[in-house]
Amino acid sequence: MGVFFLVVGLIGLLVSGSVGASGLSLECAAEQEADRVVRLPGQPAVSFKQYAGYVTVNQTHGRALFYWFFEATHQPHNKPVLLWLNGGPGCSSIGYGEAEELGPFFPQKDLSTLKLNRFSWNKAANLLFLESPVGVGFSYTNTSSDIDQLGDTIAAKDSYNFLVNWFRRFPQYKSHDFYIAGESYAGHYVPQLAEAIYDNNKKVPKKDHINFKGFMIGNALLDDETDQKGMIDYAWDHAVISDRVYADVKKHCDFSQSETGKHCDVALGHYFQVYRIIDMYSLYSPKCVDSNFTLTHKSRQLPLVRGHVAPRLFSKFEGWHRKPAGYDPCASDYTEVYMNRPDVQKALHANLTKIPYPWTHCSERISFWRDAPASILPIIKKLVDGGLRIWVFSGDTDGRIPVTSTRYTLRKLGLKTLQEWTAWYTTHHEVGGWTIEYDGLTFVTIRGAGHQVPTFAPKQALQLVNHFLANKKLPSTPF
């Protein structure tokens, strides 16, 4: 009888949400322990904790998003929480962000070991990666029709629901400052999620309030007209396209429109042709020539997404859908093999529903995008006025969302300049890039970096995020 009453008592504690020795409810402690990643195959020993698993974002439809969370390397109880999002739409923040850019662990060429990233962003913050929307990576839905409804609106709504439920599972981080960062199509994801948090914080009960302070976006898709115009101007200015191709595009294409004519299509075809032989995402990087991966690199294409995906003119061209290669242009292949290993998935508590397709960087299931505004600038302006900290950064060797595009875009905001164009410095007296401070927004360039800034300039990227989180200007004199 004693054992019976002990079991009943434990169940009662769980149901009532009683607090254990850690200060967490026993229910939260149990959920966190279930998500605890003890050791990944081939992983070097580390002192920080990591967690991975699923958070349900729509109970009725059975939609669940997969996350991977790393505590800060030092004093996690004093550090902010930073969510990182990659774009696509339809690409994995774990495949790119965690495994090839700013996470602690990078899969290696031997396909069995992980390298510890010396410049991981969990040196600056408690670091959270999310595979969003459903259909991306390990995230899934039990309602197949959900895939056909995807777009910016659902992505923002599900990501917001994820955060609310994640903080319920990890309430010890609830009081921490919270930030979002991302790149590329996350120029849509990040501001839209920021807006959802900003708006909901005004009406949700205190228990679901998120201590949101700001966001940072890099090489970000923000405005169809200026993003596309800047791509053409950048390509000509960097000797990628000829005077004739440049003149033809300028003559026949109106980037303020959502449709192209025949002559514009021909001109853009010539423009994209150049990027078959060099990497649009990093003009001066090599291509993968490893014979072990020739099959995967024969056609490094992102899945073709139709519908309202931005920018509307360029998205119908094959060249727009090429995958980024990275500084090690074969790195994505290492990641793909590693993430499909059953022992890796077991360690991450991933693929519990046995998804009937392999893990890929970018989802081949998402073929239609229902909604995307032509410009994110109204949201940016609203959040600037709302007092959020906003930084925009740009690797200056990216041809996909080049620095030229971002400068044209930010000019449209019409913000007052507080500090003019100024060089900023890394260690050893090196210029890291340039920065300009507007009233409510800071813009930073990273010299020599491609589309995935933390991949190409990891040291500068860590310096960037440290200064952003501390709300400090980058150093304007050598040190």
Side-chain angles (χ1 to χ4, degrees):
M1 284 292 286
V3 173
F4 172 80
F5 284 115
L6 177 62
V7 171
V8 170
L10 285 171
I11 293 172
L13 283 171
L14 284 170
V15 171
S16 66
S18 295
V19 176
S22 64
L24 297 171
S25 73
L26 295 181
E27 183 179 10
C28 282
E31 286 182 331
Q32 290 183 26
E33 190 56 36
D35 285 359
R36 176 83 185 274
V37 178
V38 179
R39 187 87 173 255
L40 288 160
Q43 179 201 304
V46 293
S47 58
F48 56 83
K49 292 180 181 178
Q50 54 177 320
Y51 301 83
Y54 288 95
V55 171
T56 299
V57 295
N58 187 303
Q59 197 82 42
T60 308
H61 285 223
R63 289 207 300 269
L65 298 182
F66 183 77
Y67 80 91
W68 194 353
F69 174 67
F70 302 90
E71 285 189 346
T73 54
H74 298 95
Q75 298 186 314
H77 55 284
N78 288 332
K79 295 282 173 66
V81 175
L82 176 69
L83 169 68
W84 173 268
L85 298 173
N86 281 86
C91 294
S92 168
S93 305
I94 285 170
Y96 287 117
E98 192 293 312
E100 295 164 30
E101 296 188 67
L102 57 117
F105 304 127
F106 292 176
Q108 297 299 289
K109 187 175 182 178
D110 63 9
L111 308 179
S112 60
T113 59
L114 294 175
K115 177 185 176 183
L116 189 64
N117 175 17
R118 290 192 302 130
F119 301 104
S120 174
W121 285 16
N122 75 324
K123 291 190 172 185
N126 297 289
L127 192 54
L128 178 60
F129 296 93
L130 176 65
E131 292 193 309
S132 171
V134 291
V136 173
F138 295 122
S139 296
Y140 69 90
T141 177
N142 292 330
T143 307
S144 57
S145 60
D146 281 352
I147 300 297
D148 298 324
Q149 302 301 314
L150 292 176
D152 283 17
T153 301
I154 284 182
K157 183 178 179 181
D158 281 359
S159 294
Y160 175 76
N161 288 337
F162 164 83
L163 285 174
V164 170
N165 290 325
W166 188 87
F167 277 115
R168 287 175 182 173
R169 188 176 300 181
F170 289 87
Q172 68 266 42
Y173 292 104
K174 198 77 171 46
S175 61
H176 291 223
D177 288 350
F178 176 71
Y179 298 89
I180 318 173
E183 71 190 11
S184 196
Y185 198 81
H188 281 225
Y189 289 162
V190 171
Q192 288 167 338
L193 176 55
E195 183 182 37
I197 298 169
Y198 178 80
D199 289 345
N200 280 294
N201 270 351
K202 296 174 181 177
K203 55 191 178 186
V204 296
K206 187 178 178 181
K207 66 183 179 68
D208 289 330
H209 186 275
I210 295 171
N211 193 23
F212 184 46
K213 299 299 183 182
F215 62 88
M216 182 169 67
I217 41 177
N219 293 83
L221 199 74
L222 293 171
D223 183 88
D224 279 9
E225 181 186 7
T226 46
D227 286 343
Q228 293 172 125
K229 180 180 184 294
M231 285 177 71
I232 302 300
D233 288 353
Y234 180 90
W236 178 80
D237 196 41
H238 284 72
V240 172
I241 58 173
S242 69
D243 290 358
R244 181 186 60 80
V245 170
Y246 181 66
D248 285 350
V249 173
K250 286 288 191 180
K251 180 179 179 181
H252 297 298
C253 299
D254 182 353
F255 296 125
S256 65
Q257 302 299 313
S258 59
E259 295 295 331
T260 58
K262 178 183 175 182
H263 295 297
C264 177
D265 286 349
V266 171
L268 289 179
H270 290 146
Y271 159 78
F272 279 112
Q273 196 169 13
V274 180
Y275 286 119
R276 292 179 183 175
I277 56 175
I278 63 171
D279 187 0
M280 176 189 278
Y281 292 82
S282 180
L283 263 58
Y284 311 115
S285 293
K287 302 181 79 174
C288 181
V289 293
D290 191 323
S291 60
N292 293 321
F293 299 110
T294 50
L295 286 177
T296 54
H297 276 276
K298 201 174 277 183
S299 176
R300 286 192 61 82
Q301 293 291 110
L302 295 166
L304 190 60
V305 181
R306 302 290 185 186
H308 295 279
V309 62
R312 287 156 179 72
L313 296 191
F314 281 12
S315 62
K316 67 181 181 180
F317 287 88
E318 183 186 85
W320 175 256
H321 300 274
R322 294 195 176 276
K323 283 186 180 180
Y327 191 72
D328 177 347
C330 304
S332 291
D333 298 283
Y334 315 153
T335 302
E336 214 140 299
V337 171
Y338 187 82
M339 296 302 290
N340 277 295
R341 286 175 49 174
D343 56 344
V344 171
Q345 294 180 3
K346 183 179 179 181
L348 287 172
H349 321 114
N351 201 11
L352 301 178
T353 57
K354 302 302 175 188
I355 299 167
Y357 48 85
W359 182 96
T360 57
H361 280 77
C362 298
S363 174
E364 294 173 5
R365 301 185 69 220
I366 299 173
S367 58
F368 185 81
W369 201 249
R370 189 160 289 277
D371 65 287
S375 179
I376 297 295
L377 293 182
I379 297 176
I380 301 279
K381 187 70 169 67
K382 171 183 174 179
L383 298 177
V384 165
D385 293 342
L388 291 174
R389 186 182 314 159
I390 302 173
W391 283 28
V392 177
F393 63 94
S394 184
D396 63 13
T397 66
D398 174 30
R400 180 62 179 272
I401 311 291
V403 63
T404 308
S405 295
T406 304
R407 293 175 82 176
Y408 288 162
T409 299
L410 295 180
R411 190 184 299 167
K412 274 189 173 183
L413 283 172
L415 300 174
K416 181 183 176 184
T417 300
L418 300 183
Q419 181 182 317
E420 258 297 350
W421 197 253
T422 307
W424 65 272
Y425 288 84
T426 62
T427 52
H428 307 300
H429 301 268
E430 285 290 332
V431 173
W434 280 264
T435 181
I436 182 169
E437 185 184 349
Y438 298 105
D439 187 9
L441 185 148
T442 296
F443 176 54
V444 181
T445 74
I446 297 84
R447 190 164 68 99
H451 189 70
Q452 302 154 285
V453 167
T455 298
F456 297 100
K459 185 177 181 180
Q460 295 94 312
L462 182 58
Q463 183 180 356
L464 175 74
V465 73
N466 270 317
H467 281 74
F468 166 71
L469 294 173
N471 198 22
K472 290 183 179 177
K473 294 181 181 181
L474 288 157
S476 58
T477 54
F479 63 94

